[in-house]
Amino acid sequence: MKNSITIIIVLVFGINLTNAQKKYKRAEELFAKMWYVEAAAEYESVYYEGDRSKEVLQKAGDAYYFNTDMVNAHKWYDRLVSQYLQDVSEEYLFRYAHSLEGIGEYKLAKRWMKIFSKKAEKDDPRANKYDQTEITIEDILDIEPQFILKNLSINTKYSDFGPMYYKDSLVYASAIDSSYFHERKYRWNEQP
């Protein structure tokens, strides 16, 4: 009887482990396609099925972070920092602090940015900005606007950005689909 129970437990655990591995692989595929909403759901499922690894926490946080869902990004990065603080890279400390800013926790974000700046490499320009200054987000929000943004006739219905001069012309990046062989659209805005 004990052997039967042991075998059943091993089988159930093995099935759950295999299922979690399949979901993790699916989440990785979705993440690679930049389908962050779907990837986040898969990473969460993997987490709740028992895989509480640093990698799952990082990827779940990243899926929300790259989709600018700072509430959920903070939730996953907070778990990551709480469980793996000593092993968390400076990049994840930066993202954690950024997610704190995204939910309005400016003072706490500033503290984490200082921790990030101490752990970051000296040639990381982000570290210098947060290590020396006492400027807060409130200070930045209080600055009077210096520019007025207007749409131009050259704007398209897609995302156009990054204008600069090149020789005698103005060049810019656009989300217009210019591919010949493969069309790739982002799910969050249905643009190339």
Side-chain angles (χ1 to χ4, degrees):
M1 182 69 175
K2 286 183 180 181
N3 288 340
S4 298
I5 293 173
T6 304
I7 290 172
I8 290 170
I9 290 172
V10 168
L11 286 174
V12 169
F13 180 74
I15 290 169
N16 283 342
L17 184 61
T18 302
N19 192 30
Q21 288 172 339
K22 285 180 185 176
K23 285 186 177 189
Y24 185 79
K25 185 178 180 192
R26 173 86 174 126
E28 291 285 290
E29 291 168 358
L30 292 167
F31 192 89
K33 291 179 184 178
M34 294 184 231
W35 293 3
Y36 298 126
V37 174
E38 295 83 354
E42 289 294 322
Y43 287 122
E44 282 196 34
S45 180
V46 169
Y47 177 84
Y48 289 120
E49 287 183 13
D51 185 349
R52 291 181 169 53
S53 66
K54 181 172 78 168
E55 291 76 21
V56 169
L57 293 170
Q58 287 173 337
K59 288 292 191 148
D62 287 348
Y64 287 114
Y65 182 85
F66 294 143
N67 203 36
T68 63
D69 180 348
M70 293 303 171
V71 171
N72 282 308
H74 169 261
K75 175 176 115 178
W76 292 98
Y77 290 148
D78 189 57
R79 287 179 181 170
L80 173 69
V81 169
S82 297
Q83 294 175 25
Y84 297 100
L85 179 59
Q86 300 306 319
D87 296 327
V88 174
S89 71
E90 64 270 6
E91 185 60 34
Y92 284 98
L93 293 175
F94 179 83
R95 291 179 188 171
Y96 178 57
H98 197 204
S99 71
L100 284 164
E101 284 179 339
I103 62 170
E105 294 288 339
Y106 304 119
K107 289 183 181 180
L108 190 55
K110 189 174 179 180
R111 269 189 256 150
W112 279 99
M113 281 298 188
K114 286 187 179 194
I115 293 168
F116 155 76
S117 69
K118 287 182 177 118
K119 191 171 182 178
E121 298 197 14
K122 296 298 177 200
D123 60 346
D124 188 334
R126 299 173 300 178
N128 295 333
K129 289 179 186 176
Y130 292 102
D131 192 28
Q132 302 169 12
T133 185
E134 291 299 320
I135 296 173
T136 65
I137 193 74
E138 291 86 1
D139 297 330
I140 294 169
L141 293 173
D142 288 340
I143 296 173
E144 288 293 319
Q146 298 176 11
F147 304 98
I148 298 173
L149 300 178
K150 294 181 182 179
N151 282 328
L152 301 174
S153 61
I154 62 171
N155 289 120
T156 67
K157 66 179 183 174
Y158 298 103
S159 298
D160 302 318
F161 50 91
M164 63 180 285
Y165 288 104
Y166 177 72
K167 296 186 180 177
D168 293 332
S169 299
L170 177 68
V171 296
Y172 61 95
S174 179
I176 294 173
D177 188 11
S178 60
S179 64
Y180 294 105
F181 302 109
H182 178 64
E183 182 177 296
R184 184 178 195 175
K185 288 189 177 183
Y186 297 110
R187 298 232 56 192
W188 65 85
N189 65 5
E190 290 300 319
Q191 290 187 12

